[in-house]
Amino acid sequence: VGWCRRDGTRVSEVHHPARPSSQALGDVRGRFARTRQERKEGRGRGREGMAAREAPETGTTVVAVRYGDETHGRTGVVLGADSRVSTGTYVSNRASNKIARLAEGTYLLRSGSAADTQAVGDVVRDAVERLSWEMQESPSVHVVSQITARVAYANKDRLLAAMIVAGWDRRRGGQVHGVPIGGTVVNLPWSVDGSGSTYIYGHCDATYRPGMDREQAVAFVQEALALAMARDGSSGGMIRMVVVDEDGAEEMDVRGDHVPLYHEEIDVEAVLAVR
């Protein structure tokens, strides 16, 4: 307060247009907070604008499972996701890719808001690249999952992002880390997330077997996704999978017309006609 310029004006009285005051920042933050709350609760000024102000419903299904026998050192992971991107009842993209590469041997499964999860993936990928330059090697799956969880936790009030980080490294082999909404990170033998996951938790509990081989793990992920897509209207399209082990990563796709049908998707009349 005691500092003055040569013209006699105090520093506290000098206006800095490039640096807004704390009161102005508070007003802006409050305005955005109120806008988010109005969208969340569906409140608007007038009935005609209420639908546009409501937060869009998002949905997907992502699955990851670890396979192999750790005692013999041959392990890996299988990641899978549907390809439908929806906003409420509108399908905006039927062939998207929800599996993103974060580092060598480490991949991210994205569910929730597509914009939020893409932003998290970009931030984590940038941090991993800089860390790789410092370490002169690619970070482990565990380290990448911790970075992802930190980004999610630091922005938990602004993100709708439920993710799974999975991959293989020479230290711990195949690993699956669940990073649900809020930024928690948990090491699991298998993990599912997204709106379709609620339909297949019981199926995954009943069919998962420790020590599954690669083919069994691929079948496990494919069947779980097909079952979720049959029940969840926000999940659909095709099935995309990535298998990661010590030999590298292999991408696998199942076209939409080749995805197994279940429940009400089966054409009963066609089946009876064949019989």
Side-chain angles (χ1 to χ4, degrees), residues 62-64 79 107-109 162-166 176-179 191-193:
V62 292
V63 183
L79 305 87
Y107 288 79
L108 175 71
L109 286 170
M163 301 164 288
I164 301 174
V165 178
V176 175
H177 299 272
V179 186
S191 180
V192 297
D193 219 321

Side-chain angles (χ1 to χ4, degrees), residues 55-69:
E57 297 179 0
T58 57
T60 188
T61 305
V62 292
V63 183
V65 62
R66 182 176 62 218
Y67 70 85
D69 188 359

Side-chain angles (χ1 to χ4, degrees), residues 85-270:
V85 176
S86 58
T87 303
T89 58
Y90 174 72
V91 178
S92 57
N93 190 343
R94 62 185 178 86
S96 68
N97 189 359
K98 303 174 185 179
I99 307 176
R101 182 180 181 273
L102 296 179
E104 183 180 355
T106 306
Y107 288 79
L108 175 71
L109 286 170
R110 305 183 293 106
S111 68
S113 168
D116 291 351
T117 54
Q118 287 174 354
V120 172
D122 292 341
V123 172
V124 174
R125 192 179 300 109
D126 178 69
V128 168
E129 288 180 358
R130 289 186 280 109
L131 184 61
S132 299
W133 278 101
E134 295 177 5
M135 299 172 56
Q136 292 299 307
E137 64 176 356
S138 181
S140 64
V141 180
H142 174 75
V143 171
V144 177
S145 69
Q146 292 295 323
I147 296 174
T148 306
R150 283 197 174 192
V151 174
Y153 180 79
N155 301 275
K156 61 181 182 295
D157 296 331
R158 295 178 289 274
L159 295 177
L160 180 61
M163 301 164 288
I164 301 174
V165 178
W168 182 94
D169 60 53
R170 65 175 182 271
R171 298 181 182 89
R172 302 183 182 180
Q175 302 157 67
V176 175
H177 299 272
V179 186
I181 296 175
T184 302
V185 57
V186 185
N187 187 10
L188 301 165
W190 61 268
S191 180
V192 297
D193 219 321
S195 59
S197 64
T198 58
Y199 299 95
I200 59 174
Y201 265 107
H203 167 78
C204 293
D205 279 329
T207 58
Y208 171 77
R209 297 290 183 271
M212 291 190 299
D213 59 24
R214 174 187 170 120
E215 289 72 21
Q216 291 173 333
V218 170
F220 173 86
V221 172
Q222 181 175 329
E223 185 178 20
L225 288 171
L227 286 167
M229 292 161 65
R231 288 296 192 189
D232 181 30
S234 297
S235 301
M238 60 187 296
I239 294 176
R240 298 185 186 273
M241 293 183 289
V242 176
V243 182
V244 188
D245 55 21
E246 61 183 353
D247 297 328
E250 179 184 355
E251 297 183 0
M252 307 171 63
D253 296 331
V254 180
R255 292 189 338 188
D257 55 348
H258 291 171
V259 175
L261 301 179
Y262 297 95
H263 311 303
E264 69 275 4
E265 290 186 329
I266 299 177
D267 189 348
V268 179
E269 296 182 357

